[in-house]
Amino acid sequence: MSTAPPAPTPADLVIAGAALVATCDDERREIAGGWVAITDGVVVGVGGPGDEPDARRTVRADGCLVTPGLVNTHHHIYQNLTRAYRPATDKNLFGWLTTLYPIWAGLDEEAAYLSAWIGLAELALGGCTTSMDHLYVHPAGGGDLITAEISAATELGVRFHATRGSMSRSQKDGGLPPDSVVQDDDTILADSQRLVERHHQRGAQAMVQVALAPCSPFSVTPELMRRTAVLAEQLDVRLHTHLAEDRDEDTYCLDVYGCRPLEYFEDVGWGSDRSWVAHGVYPNQTEIEKMATWGTGVAHCPSSNQMIGAGLAPIAEYRAAGVPVGIGCDGSSSTDSANLWMETRNALLLGRLRGGPEAMQARDALELATRGGARCLGRDGEIGLLATGSVGDVAVWPLEGIRFAGAHSDPIEAWLRCGPLSPRHTIVAGRFVVEDGALVSADVDDRLAAHAVVARRLQGLDA
Ligand SMILES: [Zn+2]
């Protein structure tokens, strides 16, 4: 009878020899020469040089920073069909929206599928492994747009948090959108429930989740906000909306509801750790403390806030109060790009512009893009970190070449201060979505051609 210990089971994948592994784990360990091992889509070990486990496949990461895959907490992917749309480029938020609503009224399943495929591929090329999407335009006859998006995410192999967006308050009821893009409350709530029951996965390794997301104070009724919060509680899913994005919204809420946006938010039953909001540019200190007490998160959208001219969100105050803060790229036609590395860098720059050089460091920005995002999506400890038991979502960033010449003292500061930078590999659940800087999927050219046809049709360019 043999007394030898059983041979160790090789890991599926080991990423080894990194210049630094920034684990973002509970101890925020940074491991020079480190490795990450993944089996069955889950991290099974993280360690330092010399004790790398056996693996079916080992990928060297010499000269690279290895981070958790980045988490995107706010987006409207369908808007990549109307990027840099000239008639809207000089508008403020309300003007921009009213210019684009009639075009978005042409959305259908094909458009939702293609925009999601292209948009999620774009995000993967920027190191993002989990993205939410907020699809709030559901034109009559447009079909099942959310299911079309989920199909694209599943085909690409990225982690996806669809949110069932909604608009119910059209111009005839004092709202901003036209009748063609709003639905009644019962239709919205029934479809929300259907989508959760069909697609929402529970558990630490979920690839697809569904949250409920009425669009904003100026496009839905208070009644829909209240009923959505109740339904989210019943179904045990998360809640998302826009809040305090723009000064016009303060004015709108005071005129229509007689209170500030956050008071309205509380009044309709959304002050909870089930909720995270996009933007949050204009809360006062009392409101920030309320959000911290509730555990309501904020998706910080640096490029969008700059492009729309919305202002500087009080990120340092949020973090000091304990509000969960993640990073969002926001819709492709308000920022016209969707790159989490760039948004994280912009968060660093805006934080320092607002509060001086001590207000934010690269590690703070990395925290927003990983652990902060996970908290917003209700998945702290599952995504946004590299630790035994977390998901096998990894970005491998090459810190080399002309752009990194001279950067020898701190790989994390170099990662965000130098650049521009794209990951060499983006790995989701242990599978390569981006490998050696290119999408693994071979369908890019076909999807781009089809996307162009749909985008031009929506914009009326080929009529
Ligand atoms: Zn948005």
Side-chain angles (χ1 to χ4, degrees), residues 170-435:
S170 70
Q171 286 158 356
K172 69 174 165 32
D173 300 316
L176 203 64
D179 291 349
S180 57
V181 292
V182 303
Q183 297 174 296
D184 67 73
D185 292 3
D186 288 341
T187 302
I188 290 164
L189 292 162
D191 195 48
S192 298
Q193 179 158 356
R194 176 186 70 82
L195 287 163
V196 170
E197 288 170 352
R198 177 165 176 195
H199 295 295
H200 184 74
Q201 300 171 4
R202 304 193 187 265
Q205 295 172 51
M207 290 296 292
V208 176
Q209 294 204 336
V210 179
L212 309 187
C215 187
S216 62
F218 48 83
S219 60
V220 303
T221 59
E223 183 62 14
L224 180 62
M225 290 293 282
R226 283 193 190 94
R227 291 179 66 190
T228 302
V230 170
L231 182 62
E233 185 89 30
Q234 280 170 12
L235 298 174
D236 190 20
V237 294
R238 295 186 67 73
L239 284 166
H240 182 64
T241 191
H242 293 92
L243 195 78
E245 177 174 0
D246 187 275
R247 287 276 184 219
D248 288 349
E249 188 181 316
D250 276 10
T251 310
Y252 183 92
C253 284
L254 286 167
D255 287 351
V256 175
Y257 304 121
C259 62
R260 288 173 50 78
L262 199 89
E263 293 174 87
Y264 169 75
F265 182 83
E266 181 177 16
D267 182 58
V268 292
W270 277 55
S272 117
D273 62 359
R274 192 179 289 287
S275 306
W276 88 105
V277 301
H279 302 288
V281 177
Y282 288 111
N284 59 36
Q285 189 59 36
T286 306
E287 292 170 339
I288 288 171
E289 284 158 18
K290 270 192 168 181
M291 292 170 74
T293 304
W294 298 330
T296 297
V298 174
H300 177 35
C301 302
S303 290
S304 174
N305 292 350
Q306 291 173 86
M307 191 67 87
I308 291 282
L312 291 166
I315 301 306
E317 287 87 338
Y318 280 133
R319 298 187 73 210
V323 174
V325 181
I327 298 277
C329 64
D330 204 1
S332 303
S333 48
S334 50
T335 49
D336 300 309
S337 66
N339 181 302
L340 262 281
W341 175 84
M342 190 167 70
E343 292 307 322
T344 306
R345 188 174 198 271
N346 269 320
L348 173 69
L349 298 181
L350 286 185
R352 296 167 74 100
L353 176 65
R354 186 170 185 278
E358 293 178 357
M360 188 170 290
Q361 315 304 318
R363 282 169 179 77
D364 299 309
L366 174 63
E367 179 87 9
L368 301 184
T370 55
R371 295 298 291 264
R375 289 178 72 193
C376 285
L377 298 185
R379 300 193 68 180
D380 195 26
E382 300 174 6
I383 64 173
L385 77 165
L386 297 173
T388 299
S390 70
V391 298
D393 296 3
V394 186
V396 179
W397 308 89
L399 310 183
E400 60 189 21
I402 288 173
R403 291 169 184 149
F404 289 87
H408 301 289
S409 64
D410 187 335
I412 297 178
E413 285 291 338
W415 170 67
L416 218 46
R417 285 169 173 252
C418 307
L421 183 61
S422 298
R424 178 176 295 162
H425 310 304
T426 304
I427 296 163
V428 183
R431 291 186 294 270
F432 285 74
V433 178
V434 173
E435 185 167 5

